[in-house]
Amino acid sequence: MDSQTNAGDCLGWAATDPSGVLSPYKFSRRPLGSDDVSIKITHCGVCYADVVWSRNMHGDSKYPVVPGHEIAGIVKEVGSNVQRFKVGDPVGVGTYVNSCRDCEYCNVGFEVQCEKQNVATFNGIDVDGTVTKGGYSSFIVVHERYCFKIPHNYPLASAAPLLCAGITVYTPMMRHNMNQPGKSLGVIGLGGLGHMAVKFGKAFGLNVTVLSTSISKKEEALKLLSADKFVVSSEQEQMRGLSKSLDFIVDTASGDHPFDPYLSLLKTAGVYALVGFPSEVKFSPASLNLGMRTIAGSMTGGTKMIQEMIDFCAAEKIYPQIEVIPIQYVNEALERLVKRDAKYRFVIDIENTLK
């Protein structure tokens, strides 16, 4: 080990019970290892996963829970074996901080599908047996493999949401060739993930249609995000007008919803990528079979694709729509997230407000 000390206490905000209410909390990070990077966190995005594990919605929360897996910051120390980073580099950390590094998926840079299970950035079990604690904190120690270079000209506040919201939609879009200019994309849901799917779709040269249950999203979809079309999915006539017109659909909705009406919008051999987590997925076999359609699931992405996405966003000047908040506002932000009142990603200013 390069360091036997914890370089001082780490200050964070944690939930201590299923109420999910966060409050200041001090703890120690593991010592810096030879392959580790210690990162001063400047910003952390607020994800619905933070609500899930703060409130023990899956029954597996390990309190105290320090949430946050959309992390951006500056390298403050590196281990003796670290090659890719130096002190002062802007970096990001996403939804996981370790994996076996020796399975079929790790070997090709797709660690998110590690056969032995990757280690979640928070509420997971780290290499030293301790519970991982996330980005609602002053610094973090991570193996360099799970850190990502952020170009110096890309704002750290904007970079944070890419590490979960961005990569969650970028991965299936690339995997299923949703980057073919001139083709048509439908995006279901216009939250943190959905708005990034729209941005990527436009950058890829696709004709983008936003499908939403809320007419209130129309002006933002068309004017702010430059979508080509907006359809209220509960309006049957509007939906019929889209029948068999889309090459791809990215479904970001986590609330329960019918699938057959959306599948009917796909052309023959169209692809439907599900990245949300409704309680069930139910559709008629005819919705797939008669149109030779594909429905696919996806989650974040491997280290190789995460770096590719960050570089793509920097090159194409793609920035998430964010609302920067102080850490003291985080409980209200989580409530607003539950009520779908975020436009479109809260980002905590850790550097200036976590004292």
Side-chain angles (χ1 to χ4, degrees):
M1 305 291 277
D2 285 305
S3 172
Q4 293 302 316
T5 70
N6 288 334
D9 285 333
C10 186
L11 177 61
W13 275 51
T16 56
D17 59 53
S19 72
V21 175
L22 301 172
S23 58
Y25 168 67
K26 283 189 175 181
F27 62 100
S28 294
R29 292 289 187 187
R30 63 178 171 82
L32 184 80
S34 57
D35 298 307
D36 289 336
V37 176
S38 179
I39 301 161
K40 174 191 174 185
I41 298 172
T42 62
H43 297 86
C44 186
V46 178
C47 176
Y48 193 73
D50 303 342
V51 176
V52 170
W53 278 282
S54 293
R55 301 184 181 185
N56 200 27
M57 292 167 70
H58 287 173
D60 62 353
S61 296
K62 304 172 182 69
Y63 293 108
V65 171
V66 178
H69 61 199
E70 295 183 339
I71 300 168
I74 303 293
V75 174
K76 67 175 188 173
E77 191 176 359
V78 297
S80 57
N81 292 340
V82 171
Q83 301 293 319
R84 296 172 52 232
F85 303 99
K86 64 182 186 301
V87 173
D89 283 349
V91 294
V93 177
T95 62
Y96 54 94
V97 291
N98 217 329
S99 63
C100 80
R101 300 177 220 155
D102 194 35
C103 69
E104 172 186 355
Y105 302 104
C106 286
N107 285 337
V108 295
F110 202 41
E111 299 89 343
V112 69
Q113 295 295 335
C114 176
E115 290 179 350
K116 297 179 183 177
Q117 192 171 39
N118 58 60
V119 177
T121 301
F122 70 92
N123 201 58
I125 302 298
D126 209 346
V127 291
D128 61 353
T130 60
V131 177
T132 54
K133 293 175 172 61
Y136 292 17
S137 59
S138 53
F139 76 98
I140 192 168
V141 176
V142 183
H143 188 286
E144 71 165 328
R145 177 169 179 156
Y146 310 93
C147 299
F148 306 98
K149 296 178 182 178
I150 298 173
H152 285 271
N153 64 347
Y154 198 90
L156 290 175
S158 298
L162 301 181
L163 279 304
C164 177
I167 191 60
T168 298
V169 293
Y170 185 86
T171 294
M173 292 179 79
M174 296 302 291
R175 189 172 187 83
H176 299 289
N177 302 311
M178 299 185 191
N179 60 344
Q180 303 171 57
K183 297 235 172 160
S184 53
L185 169 72
V187 178
I188 301 172
L190 198 59
L193 276 65
H195 96 285
M196 288 304 302
V198 173
K199 285 176 176 283
F200 287 136
K202 294 301 295 180
F204 292 145
L206 303 178
N207 186 289
V208 180
T209 297
V210 171
L211 300 146
S212 175
T213 57
S214 176
I215 188 66
S216 64
K217 300 282 184 76
K218 182 174 182 177
E219 186 171 351
E220 290 173 2
L222 298 177
K223 294 185 178 178
L224 179 66
L225 301 175
S226 300
D228 299 284
K229 191 179 296 185
F230 182 91
V231 168
V232 178
S233 53
S234 58
E235 296 290 335
Q236 293 185 12
E237 190 171 330
Q238 290 186 35
M239 291 287 279
R240 278 195 295 270
L242 274 185
S243 180
K244 298 181 181 179
S245 68
L246 303 176
D247 295 289
F248 313 111
I249 290 176
V250 174
D251 183 350
T252 71
S254 282
D256 287 337
H257 56 283
F259 284 79
D260 290 300
Y262 293 118
L263 285 164
S264 72
L265 307 183
L266 286 172
K267 295 179 182 178
T268 296
V271 177
Y272 188 112
L274 176 66
V275 297
F277 284 85
S279 64
E280 68 173 6
V281 176
K282 190 176 181 180
F283 54 84
S284 165
S287 293
L288 288 189
N289 299 349
L290 297 184
M292 292 172 47
R293 300 175 179 116
T294 297
I295 187 164
S298 190
M299 51 191 297
T300 57
T303 56
K304 184 178 178 182
M305 192 165 285
I306 293 171
Q307 189 64 61
E308 174 190 304
M309 174 210 57
I310 292 170
D311 294 341
F312 178 75
C313 287
E316 297 295 323
K317 295 181 169 55
I318 298 170
Y319 306 104
Q321 301 296 133
I322 61 174
E323 180 178 338
V324 179
I325 61 169
I327 187 73
Q328 294 78 13
Y329 186 73
V330 72
N331 287 306
E332 288 87 347
L334 291 171
E335 275 300 317
R336 283 179 59 189
L337 194 59
V338 171
K339 296 173 182 175
R340 301 179 186 176
D341 180 29
K343 295 179 180 177
Y344 285 90
R345 205 65 161 181
F346 291 115
V347 175
I348 305 168
D349 182 351
I350 297 290
E351 182 177 31
N352 293 311
T353 66
L354 180 60
K355 306 294 184 183

